[in-house]
Amino acid sequence: MANISLYLVTFNCARTLVQAHQFGPHILDAFPQDVPTPDILVISLQEIAPIAYSFLGGSFLTPYFDAIREAVKLAAKGHAHVISRNLGMTAIMIFAKDPTNISSIQTAGVGVGVQELGNKGAVGIRLVYSETQLTFVAAHIAPMENAMLRRNEDWRNIVKRLVFTNNVRATRDEQDEDAPLLQGLPHGDGSELGMYSPRSHLFVAGDLNYRVSETKPKESDFEKFPQPTDEADNQNHFMMLLENDQLLQQRKLGNTLHGLSEAEIKFPPTYKLLASNGSSDWNWARHRWPSWCDRILYLESPVWMQKKIRVHKYDVLPQLETSDHRPVGLSLSVPLGAIPKPPNQEDDIRLHPPFDIDPDWKSRRAIARKKEIAVGIVAYLILTWEGNTIVLATILGSIGGWLIIQSLLIV
């Protein structure tokens, strides 16, 4: 085996439990049909569950992870679940054809939402597969057309505070997901703790939320929304919108996703679709510009390495009726073997990351985690039927107790 076959999928679940029987048959739609199933399957999930369950984590998320596991069983029989992690509402799951090839797993997480909470943020897993170090990052950053600068700032904070911690067992369950995110630093060269590492390949997948306009569409703009057509010069062909894609523009300016590459986009926008039964790919909501929010990028092999990454397919998957996003998949091959040490100080982003690691990353994450638990408890009590039941029972119990005490006081 001269290469590792990778397949990455990103999907915004819209806080709704994924239906395995709908998702599973299409997970591998962007994987070449004439080659064996991938060695490693990575699934990036955004808005995996309602905020209460996401912030509390643990067993509250088990049904949501289980649904993805069931979908993967339908898509790639024989692939074993290796590890799942979430940072608030963003999660990452890794499956492998032969998990015995995987070792030295590390995790990282950072929130970039309000007060650095995990309603937006990133979660990462770094592992070694047969001496090849791979770093996978699932991300979800600021929404809305006019928030382009905020998205760039979110990316900056992810790079500064996504710090990988001590090794964890591949068999550890996601129920204790918050523990590894708060562990101490691993021993070794501090320059290799962040997202960019001289010895690692890097992949970023998620709802990056870059749009095709800085303002909301006017009613008259709806006529320009993409519709089925093979004529590239037609105003309704999606390529007309892609020319205004913020992510393509900001990457060229060096303002975001520094050093990362993306395969050519040949598919229609992935957002914002109205809920449907999957019968139409062009049923757009009128109050948002159709945009390529869901993306997968990768870091090319370093300049001092002869073998290069090879992309096979980058495509959109069918819409699921539970989300206003369409999943996106990327299949590629990565050279097998460790990235050699650079012969000298090459001009490579692995050696010169765009931002230094924030020395306070650990304490900031610990404070944010406490806030998430507090918000999660309140949201659970107010926004879930289980929480409402607890509140009602508490009120009725308090009233009953008060009545009993009053009756005992009556002479």
Side-chain angles (χ1 to χ4, degrees):
M1 180 175 64
N3 297 287
I4 302 171
S5 174
L6 296 183
Y7 184 59
L8 295 88
V9 173
T10 181
F11 180 46
N12 185 315
C13 305
R15 311 184 187 193
T16 304
L17 188 70
V18 171
Q19 301 301 308
H21 68 281
Q22 293 180 357
F23 190 32
H26 297 290
I27 286 180
L28 294 179
D29 278 11
F31 190 79
Q33 297 182 354
D34 56 346
V35 297
T37 52
D39 297 310
I40 299 178
L41 168 61
V42 181
I43 299 186
S44 166
L45 301 165
Q46 308 85 49
E47 297 191 8
I48 183 175
I51 192 167
Y53 302 152
S54 297
F55 277 12
L56 292 176
S59 60
F60 289 102
L61 284 179
T62 298
Y64 297 88
F65 282 120
D66 284 347
I68 302 299
R69 291 191 188 99
E70 289 300 317
V72 169
K73 286 181 181 179
L74 295 174
K77 295 180 180 179
H79 277 62
H81 171 243
V82 177
I83 187 171
S84 296
R85 284 292 181 270
N86 79 290
L87 190 292
M89 302 179 75
T90 304
I92 187 169
M93 303 181 72
I94 294 183
F95 301 82
K97 186 184 298 184
D98 184 1
T100 62
N101 288 326
I102 294 178
S103 61
S104 302
I105 296 178
Q106 296 178 303
T107 60
V110 58
V112 296
V114 177
Q115 297 289 309
E116 300 183 11
L117 300 185
N119 56 309
K120 296 292 186 291
V123 57
I125 293 175
R126 175 169 290 161
L127 56 81
V128 175
Y129 185 95
S130 298
E131 300 184 354
T132 307
Q133 190 176 107
L134 306 166
T135 301
F136 302 105
V137 176
H140 190 190
I141 57 181
M144 302 300 180
E145 280 85 354
N146 61 359
M148 184 185 69
L149 296 180
R150 175 61 190 275
R151 285 186 274 278
N152 292 349
E153 183 64 19
D154 284 352
W155 171 253
R156 174 189 176 96
N157 289 328
I158 288 172
V159 175
K160 289 168 63 70
R161 300 180 193 136
L162 193 71
V163 179
F164 289 83
T165 60
N166 294 333
N167 293 358
V168 296
R169 298 191 308 275
T171 55
R172 181 178 295 187
D173 189 78
E174 68 273 358
Q175 291 188 16
D176 57 351
E177 61 84 20
D178 56 320
L181 301 186
L182 302 178
Q183 287 176 355
L185 295 174
H187 299 292
D189 181 3
S191 65
E192 295 194 13
L193 302 176
M195 181 190 305
Y196 293 92
S197 169
R199 311 302 296 276
S200 182
H201 298 283
L202 172 62
F203 307 88
V204 178
D207 180 359
L208 304 181
N209 258 324
Y210 284 92
R211 309 301 173 93
V212 299
S213 174
E214 293 187 17
T215 59
K216 295 180 180 180
K218 300 184 291 290
E219 185 64 28
S220 59
D221 290 328
F222 188 72
E223 298 178 357
K224 304 175 185 177
F225 282 15
Q227 296 298 328
T229 176
D230 294 328
E231 300 175 3
D233 58 350
N234 189 307
Q235 73 164 7
N236 291 123
H237 194 283
F238 61 80
M239 293 301 290
M240 294 294 182
L241 281 183
L242 188 60
E243 296 176 357
N244 301 319
D245 180 71
Q246 293 175 348
L247 182 54
L248 294 177
Q249 296 173 350
Q250 292 299 301
R251 282 179 51 231
K252 288 181 181 179
L253 294 173
N255 293 332
T256 191
L257 280 295
H258 300 79
L260 296 173
S261 299
E262 184 178 21
E264 184 180 1
I265 294 176
K266 299 180 179 180
F267 49 84
T270 62
Y271 174 87
K272 175 179 174 58
L273 289 153
L274 296 176
S276 72
N277 58 7
S279 61
S280 173
D281 298 332
W282 311 93
N283 192 16
W284 308 109
R286 291 175 176 263
H287 65 292
R288 291 282 179 265
W289 278 103
S291 299
W292 288 264
C293 292
D294 309 277
R295 314 285 275 268
I296 306 175
L297 295 94
Y298 61 96
L299 192 58
E300 297 278 6
S301 299
V303 294
W304 64 86
M305 189 174 181
Q306 291 185 347
K307 297 181 179 179
K308 303 300 180 183
I309 289 175
R310 186 158 59 99
V311 173
H312 301 295
K313 191 174 182 180
Y314 186 38
D315 206 355
V316 69
L317 311 185
Q319 181 191 6
L320 274 70
E321 62 185 31
T322 55
S323 177
D324 51 5
H325 291 253
R326 291 180 68 181
V328 172
L330 171 69
S331 58
L332 64 167
S333 296
V334 176
L336 181 67
I339 295 178
K341 292 183 178 180
N344 48 53
Q345 289 296 310
E346 300 282 354
D347 184 19
D348 188 278
I349 198 165
R350 287 176 170 83
L351 304 174
H352 310 286
F355 310 109
D356 293 332
I357 291 176
D358 183 348
D360 298 323
W361 71 269
K362 185 179 178 183
S363 60
R364 296 176 75 133
R365 180 60 207 144
I367 293 171
R369 181 60 187 145
K370 293 178 181 178
K371 294 178 182 178
E372 285 175 358
I373 293 174
V375 172
I377 291 173
V378 173
Y380 179 78
L381 295 174
I382 297 175
L383 301 177
T384 70
W385 67 267
E386 305 102 309
N388 292 167
T389 301
I390 293 173
V391 171
L392 179 60
T394 301
I395 293 173
L396 293 177
S398 299
I399 294 174
W402 181 80
L403 292 174
I404 291 173
I405 292 173
Q406 287 298 311
S407 65
L408 292 175
L409 294 175
I410 297 175
V411 180

